[in-house]
Amino acid sequence: MNVNLRKILIYLLQKIYKLNDWQLSLLDERPYALEVVRECSKLYNTWGGVCIVEIGCGIGEIIGHIHAPNSLRYGYDINWANIKAGRIMNRNVCFRFGTFEDVDIGKIDCLIMVNFTFVIEPQKLAHDMKKLLSRNEVKIIIIDTYRNNEGTEYTYSHDGNMLFGEDYFLSKRSRGFKAAHGARRYIEYWGKR
Ligand SMILES: C[S@@+](CC[C@H](N)C(=O)[O-])C[C@H]1O[C@@H](n2cnc3c(N)ncnc32)[C@H](O)[C@@H]1O
């Protein structure tokens, strides 16, 4: 489906499901999201069929656009309206209502959690991640971190060492992307040792 058709469809779905205005910004308008799509598509090229999970997936613009034919894609979100619209917009994604504690996939090649964890307290997120990692084997975790975020909506910039423990190492950090109110967003890739 071309970009203009996608725009029209999302406007209609916004009216029907009363989506948050934020969901109107499709993938091409968000460079950080394009970066995640590009990097995950490279993983597919290296590994072949993969299992990708995204928590806080919204309508699935990131997970739905990763080039990974014949792969498994699970998108979790706590907003039913996003899930309903996502099921129409990104049909290759298996959407589930839920969050960290609901992920029970088993073997996950790539776990994406971007553009929402900045409101979760580090202790709480570390606790949720510990439980998730005890139930699932995850090869790569993708999270966003921030600089110049003091006084902005991006309350917390997380430390992967604290969240994921010694089993994971920072394999790559992206360039900085412009975020609201002068903050910079970085995409980090944490690999299992
Ligand atoms: C700003 S949108 C970002 C969507 C997507 N990650 C992206 O960057 O394109 C944040 C999404 O995270 C969801 N969300 C917020 N807190 C969550 C949580 N604790 N667990 C799962 N989803 C959550 C919201 O419902 C919303 O759909």
Side-chain angles (χ1 to χ4, degrees), residues 22-23 30 32-33 54-59 61-62 76-79 82 98-100 113-116 119-120:
W22 188 90
Q23 299 296 343
R30 290 182 287 122
Y32 79 89
E54 183 175 6
I55 303 176
C57 64
I59 61 167
E61 283 292 283
I62 292 180
Y76 289 81
D77 204 284
I78 52 171
N79 180 319
N82 290 346
T99 184
F100 297 91
M113 38 198 240
V114 293
N115 200 7
F116 77 98
V119 293
I120 305 177

Side-chain angles (χ1 to χ4, degrees), residues 1-190:
M1 199 190 307
N2 76 31
V3 177
N4 289 334
L5 267 179
R6 290 180 66 76
K7 277 258 170 213
I8 294 167
L9 184 55
I10 192 68
Y11 270 106
L12 291 175
L13 292 173
Q14 191 202 25
K15 299 283 173 247
I16 296 168
Y17 295 119
K18 303 191 178 10
L19 302 178
N20 184 306
D21 279 351
W22 188 90
Q23 299 296 343
L24 289 177
S25 66
L26 295 178
L27 184 74
D28 313 74
E29 294 157 19
R30 290 182 287 122
Y32 79 89
L34 287 169
E35 141 90 24
V36 176
V37 167
R38 223 175 13 248
E39 288 302 314
C40 290
S41 302
K42 277 191 210 161
L43 286 181
Y44 168 80
N45 290 338
T46 310
W47 290 343
V50 287
C51 174
I52 309 164
V53 173
E54 183 175 6
I55 303 176
C57 64
I59 61 167
E61 283 292 283
I62 292 180
I63 190 167
H65 281 87
I66 295 167
H67 175 75
N70 305 320
S71 292
L72 298 170
R73 301 165 202 248
Y74 298 93
Y76 289 81
D77 204 284
I78 52 171
N79 180 319
W80 267 115
N82 290 346
I83 289 183
K84 286 180 191 165
R87 284 179 177 154
I88 296 167
M89 291 290 291
N90 290 294
R91 293 179 165 272
N92 56 354
V93 178
C94 171
F95 286 89
R96 292 180 170 178
F97 182 86
T99 184
F100 297 91
E101 65 205 41
D102 302 300
V103 177
D104 58 351
I105 304 295
K107 286 188 190 304
I108 299 171
D109 294 300
C110 192
L111 173 68
I112 305 165
M113 38 198 240
V114 293
N115 200 7
F116 77 98
T117 60
F118 52 78
V119 293
I120 305 177
E121 281 185 6
Q123 299 296 341
K124 159 99 177 88
L125 189 55
H127 171 79
D128 289 348
M129 278 310 301
K130 197 170 176 187
K131 280 173 81 178
L132 185 152
L133 293 173
S134 71
R135 288 194 311 270
N136 300 273
E137 209 176 289
V138 183
K139 280 193 194 161
I140 291 181
I141 303 171
I142 303 178
I143 188 169
D144 50 349
T145 58
Y146 296 85
R147 288 198 192 139
N148 301 338
N149 56 321
E150 298 80 13
T152 70
E153 67 207 73
Y154 310 107
T155 311
Y156 301 108
S157 177
H158 295 288
D159 173 3
N161 286 307
M162 202 276 254
L163 293 183
F164 315 132
E166 288 178 355
D167 287 348
Y168 287 84
F169 68 100
L170 178 62
S171 67
K172 187 179 162 186
R173 179 184 289 122
S174 74
R175 70 176 174 87
F177 295 99
K178 200 172 152 195
H181 309 293
R184 303 290 288 174
R185 172 187 276 125
Y186 299 81
I187 305 294
E188 292 188 353
Y189 301 83
W190 290 78

